[in-house]
Every structure is written in structure tokens, then in C-alpha cells.
Amino acid sequence: MSTPAAPSPVRPAFLGGSKQLFIGGRWVAAAAGEEFDTVDPASGQVIARLARGAAADVDRAVVAARAAFEGPWSRWTPLERQRLLLRIDELMLKHAEELASIETTDMGAPITRTRNTVKWISQAIRFFASCTGAATTTTASNSLPGNVMTLNHKAPLGVVGGIIPWNGPMGGQWWTIGPALATGCTCVIKPAEDASLSILRFADILAEAGVPDGVVNIVTGYGSEAGAALAAHPGVDKISFTGSTETGRRIVQASAGNLKRLQLELGGKSPDIVFADADLDAAVPGAAMGVFANSGQICYSGTRLFVQRSVQKEFVERLQRFSAGLKVGKGLDPGVDLGPLISSRQLDRVMHYVKLGGEQGARLAAGGRRLGGELAGGYFVEPTVFAGVDQRMTIAREEIFGPVISVIPFDTVDEVLKMANDTEYGLGGGVWTRHLATAHQVSQGIRAGVVWVNCYGAVDPAVGFGGCKMSGYGWKGGLEHVESFLYRKAVYMNIAG
Ligand code: NDP
């Protein structure tokens, strides 16, 4: 019996028109009344207008979030918050197809990917629903004189700002909203100016599920205006930021005013290491999609692909064949493997690096062109492979954030570990080998927050991932993430009398 074909997506009715800010449970215009266009990266066409929120709007949203934090929401029990999260999950799944289509149209990823994102979000929401008891109170023994009892409380931090990038906004917002709802915090979300629509559509789902007014607020706008105002706002207790290292540094500076807590997930230039003994049938597609997935717009993409010299020639040939078999096209086409890049700016950035790779002496083994014809209106780039790359070349050092692999040959474990760690970043890494000892040695030796062995890129929300060096700090996922939305308080209680 054949499996029924997945449905073809339809253009969601949500697209078009003007979208407002979501503050205090109401849709409101930006204080200055300004808007800007947002485009479909597959066509370059305007698909909606977004409110251009700025400092005054961020202030309104923070005031609403603070009022909600101090209001009845603070008395919700863990069980009530858990039920709320599960209601959101149920409602979201009813709108799964619409949400996936909005995300695909707004940021370009293939519909197969955004459908999987909805499933991943469901898993994440259920994980956060299992953590609503994280704000615990425990007793601790002490050696104080007299009769003093000590209590350890973990209490919600307050208002959390979530600054979200464009490469996966629908899932990305849950790294802020999930732990906020689990712990009793409130939040203000600032989506990326290039991809805000799925987050805005989610606001109605949250409201319908019963999220109290002001618990989740959304301020669209430019990073330099709304984003900067949120990062600097004295009423915000923590910022959860995902994006470039450069903007991450600005967030650190802006947070200094009231010493906000920070969770920063920044850039990467992750090593993916293929040993000659690896199962190449698995390693070729695995390593290729470790970069080409989401058209290379993933922070932990394994863009520095180290291949042991004895199999390098065969590996590159297989990579060429694999890349040539990938379909690049409009994300709403269910047969597409790679969608467009997010914007013309990102397209220019990626093509700049492709040109530089050739100029610096790397051999272009596959791709390298912007696609034209019926895709000319969008921002499409072929899956691209450079072979014979030297670790010192710019394409092997800087984050490209496009479908570009740099294949770098190596001979020994020591040599490859030295090269793998010769980077300012420390987000991800991969190892392909059949030898357990090599898998252990290399996964221990890579200095990064997450390493995959004989696979690449999957993240379980209950386990999570994080970075070191200039890839940021603060773990995403798992109980540690939820607990970072709490602060600790010790109560010393003299119970003598
Ligand atoms: P940014 O880091 O500038 O943007 C990420 C988020 O931060 C967006 O919501 C952005 O808003 C916001 N932002 C921008 N400036 C400020 C500011 N001063 N204060 C507060 N928030 C701000 O990344 P870009 O979108 O400019 O992409 C550039 C490069 O960054 C990419 O090519 C890629 O290398 C890297 N990047 C890494 C990501 C990751 O997952 N680690 C995700 C996205 C990008 P707005 O979009 O409105 O500017």
C-alpha cells in the first residue's frame, strides 16, 4: 500500500494587509504610526506590512509584561501553567499546516522543514509543560546557632526579552516563551524584521489558549530601534538573544545599565570531521545536509568539512553528485530540498563569499551560482562545495550563513583537532567514524557546546545545546534552561519563639 502524498500547501489567509503590535493582549498600531514591508524571499514580493515598533512601543510592552507578572498570573499554580502549555500545543497542532505555510512563505524554508518545525515545537511545548514545577522550595540544613530554619526558593525572574533571528522564528520564539510560561515569567518578543509573521500568527493562538493579557507581548520593528530599546530597557530582567556575534556584543553593552541576565546564542563556523573509516553512504548526505539544510542558515551548520585525505577525492565526487541531485526552489513546492536565502542582503553576503573563495584559490567543486529563470525574483543560491580549502582562507574562517561547504583535507587526529579548534567560535561539531575510540577522542577534543557523532544537527528540547567562546553563553533546552528563568533566594527563619 502506498503512503498518501503530503498535502500541497495553500497560501494562508493571514498573509497580506497590515499587522500590528501585540501588547497587553491587544493588537495596537506603533506609537509613531509607521510601518514597513516584509517580503516573500522566494519571489521578492511584498506579503504584508509590519508595524515599525520603537522605544515607546517597547516601553508599553514592558509595562504590560510587568503588570501581568505582578498580577493574577503570579498566583497560577504549576498545574495551571502546565495545562495552559498543553492547551497551546493542542491548538497549535490544529493550525499546524497554516503555521508551516506562513513560516515557509515568510522566511523561505521548504514546507517539509516547517512542517517538521511544528512537530518539534509540539515536543518543546510538552517538555516545558513537564517543567512547571521548576520553581521549587526546598529546605537546607545549616550550622547556625539557635533554631534557624533555612528555605531555598527558586522564583521567576520577571520580564524576559526574546530577540529572535529570521532563520527559524516560529521555533526560535519557544526558547523564550516556553520557559517563561513554565516558570511564571512574562515576556516581550522582538522578531527579526525579515520574518515576523509566524510569531504574529502565534499570538492569536496563545490568546485563544488562555495566555493572560500581557504575559506574551510582541513588538515588531528594526533591530536598531525596537531591538536596541528592549536590550537596554531597565524594566527587563533578562534577554534571550540569538543572532550574530556582532549584535550579541551590542546586547551585552546595552544590558549593562540594569545588569540584565543574558542568554546569547551567536555565530558559528563548526567543524564536521569525516574519517576514512566512516560509512560514506551515511556521511555524504549527513554532512551535506548539515550545511545545506535551511539553505545554510543555521548557526551550528558544519561548514568546515574536514575529510581524511585518503578518501577526500571520492568524498568530494560523491558530494558533487549529491548536491547536483538536490532540488532548489520555492519552499511551498513539497518536492523542494533548499529554499531561498532570507533577503537580498543575505544573498549579496553569500555571493561575496563565493567570489572570495575562488579568488583565494579554493576549487569550486559544485554550485556557486545564483539561480535565475523562474526563480530570478527570489534569493536562490545553488548548493555550493569548495574543495582543497586551506584553513586560513576567509571562507573557512567567517560565518557565511548560506549553502556553502568548505572541504579541508587532513591526515591525523591531532592535526584535525588543532584545525577544528582554530576558530573564534565554539557552537557545534561533528564526527563521522566507525571507531568508538576515535568518536570519543574527537568529540571530547572539539571545543564546542554540541557535537554529533555519525549524525548532524538534531536537537532535543529536553537536552538542548549551547556555545562557548564567541558563540555565546547560556544553555538552551533542558531543565538548566528553564532554571535560568528563575532566581534563587535563601530564607533564614528564626523559629525559636
Ligand atoms: P542580527 O544579529 O543583527 O539579528 C538578530 C536579531 O537581533 C534580529 O531580531 C535583529 O533585528 C536584532 N537586532 C539587530 N540589531 C540589534 C540591536 N542593536 N539590538 C538588539 N537587537 C538587534 O543578525 P542579522 O539578521 O543582521 O544577520 C547577520 C548575520 O548574523 C548572518 O549572516 C549570520 O551570520 C548571523 N546570524 C546568526 C544567527 C544564529 O542563529 N546564530 C541568526 C541570524 C543571523 P532585525 O532583524 O530587525 O535587524
Side-chain angles (χ1 to χ4, degrees):
M1 206 171 72
S2 63
T3 331
S8 286
V10 288
R11 187 184 160 86
F14 182 73
L15 301 180
S18 289
K19 309 298 174 201
Q20 295 186 309
L21 312 174
F22 189 68
I23 297 178
R26 290 175 41 236
W27 291 104
V28 294
E34 290 185 32
E35 293 183 338
F36 62 101
D37 290 338
T38 189
V39 304
D40 169 2
S43 65
Q45 302 290 312
V46 174
I47 45 172
R49 288 183 63 71
L50 303 176
R52 182 173 164 182
D57 304 294
V58 167
D59 191 52
R60 279 195 291 169
V62 173
V63 167
R66 178 63 58 190
F69 178 68
E70 288 167 359
W73 173 241
S74 64
R75 295 185 291 279
W76 279 46
T77 64
L79 180 62
E80 287 169 328
R81 292 198 305 273
Q82 183 178 61
R83 285 192 175 130
L84 175 66
L85 278 155
L86 295 176
R87 268 199 310 277
I88 295 169
D89 177 42
E90 203 179 308
L91 257 180
M92 176 195 70
L93 291 174
K94 282 192 187 151
H95 295 280
E97 191 57 22
E98 181 200 359
L99 288 166
S101 301
I102 292 172
E103 181 89 328
T104 287
T105 313
D106 198 22
M107 54 71 70
I111 189 75
T112 43
R113 180 177 175 85
T114 53
R115 283 175 180 153
N116 282 333
T117 301
V118 174
K119 290 183 194 151
W120 183 92
I121 294 171
S122 174
Q123 196 185 340
I125 293 176
R126 289 174 203 205
F127 165 69
F128 290 121
S130 77
C131 297
T132 55
T136 51
T137 300
T138 53
T139 53
S141 52
N142 66 67
S143 306
L144 296 171
N147 198 355
V148 177
M149 184 184 174
T150 40
L151 299 176
N152 275 320
H153 291 295
K154 287 181 183 168
L157 258 183
V159 178
V160 180
I163 301 179
I164 318 292
W166 39 259
N167 57 338
M170 185 165 63
Q173 65 178 331
W174 281 94
W175 293 125
T176 302
I177 298 177
L181 296 183
T183 55
C185 288
T186 59
C187 58
V188 177
I189 302 291
K190 195 323 245 168
E193 66 194 60
D194 288 323
S196 299
L197 291 173
S198 59
I199 291 179
L200 291 172
R201 177 65 187 93
F202 236 109
D204 278 328
I205 292 175
L206 298 179
E208 192 181 337
V211 173
D213 293 351
V215 168
V216 178
N217 306 273
I218 301 165
V219 179
T220 52
Y222 297 138
S224 55
E225 298 175 354
L230 186 59
H233 199 293
V236 174
D237 299 289
K238 175 184 171 98
I239 291 282
S240 171
F241 171 77
T242 304
S244 63
T245 297
E246 194 186 333
T247 301
R249 221 181 268 117
R250 284 202 198 101
I251 304 273
V252 173
Q253 284 157 356
S255 71
N258 67 330
L259 301 177
K260 288 179 188 64
R261 296 188 186 196
L262 295 178
Q263 192 265 309
L264 303 172
E265 191 226 308
L266 310 175
K269 194 71 191 173
S270 302
D272 196 6
I273 304 171
V274 182
F275 285 86
D277 69 76
D279 173 2
L280 295 193
D281 290 343
V284 170
M289 293 316 291
V291 178
F292 296 150
N294 213 28
S295 294
Q297 302 166 117
I298 299 179
C299 46
Y300 46 67
S301 290
T303 49
R304 286 185 300 143
L305 184 53
F306 294 96
V307 181
Q308 204 157 23
R309 206 176 301 271
S310 58
V311 291
Q312 200 215 185
K313 187 165 175 293
E314 179 190 351
F315 197 90
V316 169
E317 283 165 7
R318 287 200 191 200
L319 211 48
Q320 284 171 317
R321 283 199 295 279
F322 181 82
S323 308
L326 292 172
K327 184 173 175 192
V328 184
K330 300 189 178 188
L332 288 179
D333 171 351
V336 151
D337 300 301
L338 274 78
L341 296 169
I342 184 70
S343 61
S344 59
R345 187 172 65 119
Q346 194 64 17
L347 175 73
D348 291 345
R349 178 186 165 104
V350 171
M351 294 314 291
H352 159 76
Y353 280 109
V354 171
K355 187 162 165 276
L356 212 56
E359 285 170 4
Q360 293 189 349
R363 180 171 71 81
L364 186 63
R369 287 174 310 168
R370 177 186 182 179
L371 290 170
E374 61 171 20
L375 300 180
Y379 316 125
F380 296 90
V381 176
E382 290 177 317
T384 298
V385 178
F386 279 106
V389 175
D390 185 299
Q391 164 79 354
R392 289 162 297 189
M393 292 177 185
T394 311
I395 56 168
R397 303 208 70 79
E398 296 182 7
E399 185 176 56
I400 299 175
F401 234 57
V404 183
I405 294 177
S406 293
V407 179
I408 306 170
F410 74 93
D411 293 298
T412 66
V413 169
D414 286 348
E415 179 199 11
V416 77
L417 278 179
K418 199 162 172 240
M419 287 198 287
N421 291 330
D422 177 20
T423 170
E424 62 190 12
Y425 296 115
L427 196 52
V431 192
W432 299 85
T433 178
R434 285 192 172 101
H435 280 201
L436 197 55
T438 309
H440 273 296
Q441 189 184 356
V442 178
S443 57
Q444 302 280 327
I446 295 175
R447 195 150 178 247
V450 57
V451 178
W452 290 275
V453 178
N454 294 327
C455 57
Y456 203 94
V459 170
D460 186 323
V463 180
F465 73 108
C468 60
K469 303 203 284 190
M470 280 174 62
S471 292
Y473 44 79
W475 197 254
K476 267 181 173 175
L479 193 55
E480 184 178 334
H481 180 193
V482 176
E483 290 193 329
S484 74
F485 281 56
L486 303 169
Y487 73 97
R488 188 169 166 183
K489 183 195 313 190
V491 177
Y492 293 86
M493 193 177 291
N494 185 350
I495 54 173

